[in-house]
């Protein structure tokens, strides 16, 4: 572990909900809950105003509605979340070449590697400036933890929430962690926490007092050793700049169980296409196709098939997923389906054929034969500009819908007469829109027929207006 608090952990406060509040003036200071709005939806993020009522991430949306019936319930807008995240990550990369993103709203930074901090005071100044820069660039608040290790820096950022900064001096970690619940340590979830509680261990200090041998007896060798080290604040993990993806997948949870076998097959084909869009958006291909099926009784089956070479061909992925589905009994209904690709590579089997075909063209007369057909196919697909998709699970972003169902709560629209707004709700053939922008005050509300030709889906507006360059002279 280092002798200076130069590991920074940034956690954007209630990120999705904060973006929605910054984007929608009428929701500022009010309870906002973002997630899947169907009967089986879950909460992705709740604003701090909603947390007062007991609402939290991963809670079933039906329970959230009972706790906070008057909150604003919105479908996620992952495009704007990604855009804001890119701006924040860009600020982090200005500090150091070692930035380890954990999600859209969370990352570790090695300040020492960037030469911007070497002791407590310089680290604190960097943290203060970073929070100021983030607010100026995005209008949002982020909490910062500074410590000599990743584990303690993350705990410090939790202590800093909301909108704060906490620095833990090296040598003081055990005093901070000792009285905290065992659940504060990474890897201690509900099951491990209950196991420790039954053994009379409730705090981090009690883990340290129990001793390594007792923890190994309770939890097994690997988990016991790791937990004892964490209780002593020992964490030697470095900040890793690139976190290599091991798989790409998408899945959907359905509000009503699907019983029709043909419908299940069509959903699998649709998911395969979305998975390939994500794959291509990341510039990757993969060899192993994975099908995930959660049935009506919550039993989950996973089936996989490994191809001869990596591919990003949607037809190949669809066919493999269909073959996997043939071996799964869906009698009784399906509540979740997923398609994934693993064994990732940055080339495809078609690329190899195309390369060989190109060499043949140089050496021969240009007649590529069968290889030429594959090369043409590779060229036809490699230039497709398909945006990366997001898992369409219960908390996921709504997928394109028929015109009569495209008005998703919270999403952006534009009216020919009234300008930019967002959907407050829709039903019985009507859609209600509040017309406001991040720079305006709370806007007026109007209701239209869902097929009103003057109303259309719009792109999100920036949360902070771009500065106008000063005139020369």
């Amino acid at each position: 572990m280092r002798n200076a608090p130069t590991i920074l952990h940034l956690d954007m406060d209630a990120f999705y909900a904060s973006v929605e509040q910054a984007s929608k003036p009428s929701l500022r200071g009010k309870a906002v809950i973002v997630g899947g709005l169907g009967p089986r939806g879950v909460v992705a993020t709740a604003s701090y105003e909603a947390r007062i009522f007991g609402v939290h991430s991963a809670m079933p949306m039906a329970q959230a509605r009972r706790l906070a019936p008057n909150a604003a319930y919105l479908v996620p807008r992952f495009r704007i979340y990604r855009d804001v995240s890119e701006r924040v990550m860009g600020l982090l990369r200005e500090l150091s070449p070692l930035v380890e993103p954990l999600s859209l709203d969370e990352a570790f930074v090695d300040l020492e590697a960037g030469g911007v901090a070497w002791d407590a005071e310089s680290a604190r100044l960097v943290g203060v400036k970073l929070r100021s820069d983030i607010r100026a660039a995005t209008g949002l608040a982020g909490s910062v933890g500074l410590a000599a290790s990743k584990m303690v820096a993350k705990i410090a950022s939790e202590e800093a929430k909301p909108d704060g900064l906490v620095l833990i001096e090296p040598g003081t970690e055990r005093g901070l962690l000792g009285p905290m619940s065992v659940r504060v340590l990474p890897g201690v979830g509900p099951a491990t926490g209950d196991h420790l509680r039954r053994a009379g261990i409730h705090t981090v200090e009690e883990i340290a007092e129990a001793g390594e041998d007792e923890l190994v007896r309770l939890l097994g060798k690997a988990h016991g050793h790791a937990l004892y080290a964490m209780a002593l604040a020992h964490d030697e993990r470095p900040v890793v700049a690139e976190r290599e993806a091991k798989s790409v997948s998408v899945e959907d949870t359905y509000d009503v169980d699907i019983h029709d076998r043909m419908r299940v097959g069509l959903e699998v084909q649709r998911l395969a296409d979305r998975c390939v869009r994500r794959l291509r958006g990341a510039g990757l291909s993969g060899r192993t196709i994975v099908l995930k099926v959660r049935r009506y009784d919550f039993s989950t089956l996973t089936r996989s098939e490994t191809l001869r070479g990596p591919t990003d061909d949607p037809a190949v992925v669809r066919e493999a997923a269909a073959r996997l589905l043939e071996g799964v009994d869906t009698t009784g209904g399906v509540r979740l389906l997923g398609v994934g690709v693993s064994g990732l590579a940055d080339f495809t089997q078609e690329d190899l054929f195309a390369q060989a075909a190109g060499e043949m063209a140089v050496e021969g007369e240009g007649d590529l034969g069968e290889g030429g057909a594959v090369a043409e196919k590779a060229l036809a697909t490699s230039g497709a500009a398909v945006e990366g998709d997001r898992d369409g699970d219960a908390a996921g972003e709504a997928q394109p819908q028929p015109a009569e169902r495209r008005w998703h709560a919270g999403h952006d629209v534009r009216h020919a007469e009234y300008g930019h707004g967002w959907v407050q709700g829709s039903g019985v053939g009507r859609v209600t829109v509040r017309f406001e922008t991040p720079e305006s005050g709370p806007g007026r509300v109007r209701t239209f027929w869902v097929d009103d030709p003057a109303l259309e889906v719009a792109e999100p507006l920036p949360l902070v207006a771009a500065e106008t360059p000063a005139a020369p002279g």
Side-chain angles (χ1 to χ4, degrees), residues 8 18 72 138 157 189 210 224 227 269 276 309 327 334 352 357 359 406 409 434:
L8 181 149
S18 294
T138 68
S157 70
L227 197 58
Q269 300 294 289
V276 169
V334 170
L352 301 182
E359 292 170 355
R406 72 176 183 269
R434 183 180 288 273

Side-chain angles (χ1 to χ4, degrees), residues 16-17 20 33-46 56-62 73-79 81-82 104 250-255 274 294 335-337 389-399 408-409 411:
Y16 297 171
E20 298 300 342
I33 298 170
V34 181
L37 303 189
R40 289 178 179 164
V42 298
V43 175
T45 307
H56 58 77
S57 299
M59 173 182 285
M61 190 61 76
Y73 288 86
L74 308 176
V75 175
R77 298 184 299 154
F78 287 109
R79 178 172 297 178
Y81 305 154
R82 284 192 293 265
L104 289 177
V250 296
E251 61 183 41
D252 272 348
T253 300
Y254 302 98
D255 293 342
R274 281 176 49 203
R294 181 168 297 150
R335 62 181 287 120
L336 177 147
L337 290 168
D389 203 356
R390 165 94 180 185
D391 292 6
D393 58 13
E397 185 170 19
Q399 297 303 308
H408 303 290
H411 281 217

Side-chain angles (χ1 to χ4, degrees), residues 268-269 272 286-291 303-307 311 313-327 339-341:
V268 167
Q269 300 294 289
R287 293 186 63 204
T288 302
I289 313 304
V290 181
L291 175 70
R303 300 288 185 268
S304 65
E305 175 182 321
T306 299
L307 309 174
T311 186
D313 187 330
V316 173
V317 177
R318 282 197 301 266
E319 290 167 8
R323 285 193 299 271
L324 294 170
L325 181 61
E326 290 174 2
V339 174
V341 177

